[in-house]
Amino acid sequence: MKTETLQGNLLSFYVAVSLGFDKEPNGRFWAPWDSWDCSIHYKGDCFVPFGTEDHEVYRVLKHLHPEVMRLRISSVAVEDDKWLVSLPGQPGFRVTDLLQGYALAIVASVYGAEVPDHYDCPNFKARIFLPPFNVPYGESNIPTPVNAKTASTCEFEPTPTTTYREALEEAKRMKAAEESQDYVCDGHSWVLARFHDGTSKYLYEGKSTIGLPDLK
């Protein structure tokens, strides 16, 4: 994705990741993958989407300001009540909200003109496909194919006797039938199906199959 196209909560997410908040060891960083119209949380602060009227957006300025100073990000008022926010020697971002411009510049300082489409989420144990989340704040209805299940309507319900092989075969079947977007697994102890609406469901999470034939 182009950095300049980031909007809504995905911009909030990427600026938090650019600041290294997802590397905190005690889980103080939280992104609500199952309810994307919520906020990004860090140390008690809410990274609500930039450009909104919510006053809480200004609480994150204490996190942004040190980076703005360190990176020497400049801001100039331009026509149509907008701002041109720039890193030294680079094209700027034309925005209506100054903090949004600072956020875009901070993300660009880490990722450049394009950000990755995937994020390996350590707490969620999944690789998240991000483009479906790049929607304006409040638009949580991510388009879902007609034949796609969701985590809440998935007919496969693991039981205590479900095996890793059975879960993996079901994950492969759902992907082939386009009932899910894809799946991820660690090769021996868990299988996670990921659905088109951004939700996920563990089809197996239990006893390791290490020592058995490779079932990937």
Side-chain angles (χ1 to χ4, degrees):
M1 291 174 291
K2 298 289 186 182
T3 300
E4 64 184 5
T5 66
L6 293 176
Q7 59 182 322
N9 247 335
L10 195 61
L11 174 57
S12 304
F13 167 79
Y14 255 117
V15 71
V17 170
S18 297
L19 292 171
F21 293 168
D22 63 330
K23 301 300 189 294
E24 288 287 339
N26 57 3
R28 289 176 292 184
F29 174 78
W30 179 69
W33 302 112
D34 291 334
S35 182
W36 200 236
D37 55 352
C38 297
S39 303
I40 309 300
H41 293 269
Y42 175 72
K43 287 186 175 179
D45 287 334
C46 295
F47 274 58
V48 297
F50 301 95
T52 68
E53 296 298 324
D54 197 316
H55 69 279
E56 286 189 353
V57 71
Y58 296 101
R59 294 173 58 187
V60 306
L61 182 59
K62 65 183 179 184
H63 298 299
L64 300 186
H65 187 260
E67 281 298 285
V68 170
M69 300 300 293
R70 184 183 72 83
L71 296 170
R72 295 184 292 119
I73 298 173
S74 63
S75 57
V76 179
V78 293
E79 68 279 0
D80 299 327
D81 296 324
K82 293 188 176 182
W83 295 90
L84 184 65
V85 182
S86 310
L87 290 161
Q90 296 188 24
F93 298 96
R94 189 179 296 266
V95 295
T96 56
D97 181 86
L98 186 56
L99 290 184
Q100 178 189 12
Y102 287 154
L104 287 169
I106 289 171
V107 173
S109 74
V110 175
Y111 293 101
E114 294 193 17
V115 295
D117 285 345
H118 290 85
Y119 172 70
D120 293 316
C121 185
N123 293 334
F124 201 59
K125 296 182 180 179
R127 194 164 192 250
I128 309 297
F129 184 60
L130 297 175
F133 296 101
N134 196 29
V135 295
Y137 182 67
E139 291 188 13
S140 58
N141 295 325
I142 300 172
T144 303
V146 174
N147 66 335
K149 291 183 172 66
T150 66
S152 61
T153 62
C154 177
E155 295 175 1
F156 183 87
E157 292 295 338
T159 69
T161 61
T162 298
T163 66
Y164 179 88
R165 180 192 295 274
E166 291 170 341
L168 188 59
E169 289 178 349
E170 175 63 13
K172 292 178 178 179
R173 187 203 65 76
M174 286 194 296
K175 180 179 179 181
E178 298 185 354
E179 294 176 0
S180 66
Q181 176 183 304
D182 58 13
Y183 67 91
V184 289
C185 61
D186 68 348
H188 63 93
S189 65
W190 57 267
V191 179
L192 183 74
R194 301 193 305 177
F195 299 95
H196 298 274
D197 66 343
T199 60
S200 300
K201 180 177 181 178
Y202 280 101
L203 305 184
Y204 181 87
E205 187 179 18
K207 187 176 180 180
S208 174
T209 59
I210 289 178
L212 299 179
D214 185 4
L215 301 177
K216 287 185 180 180

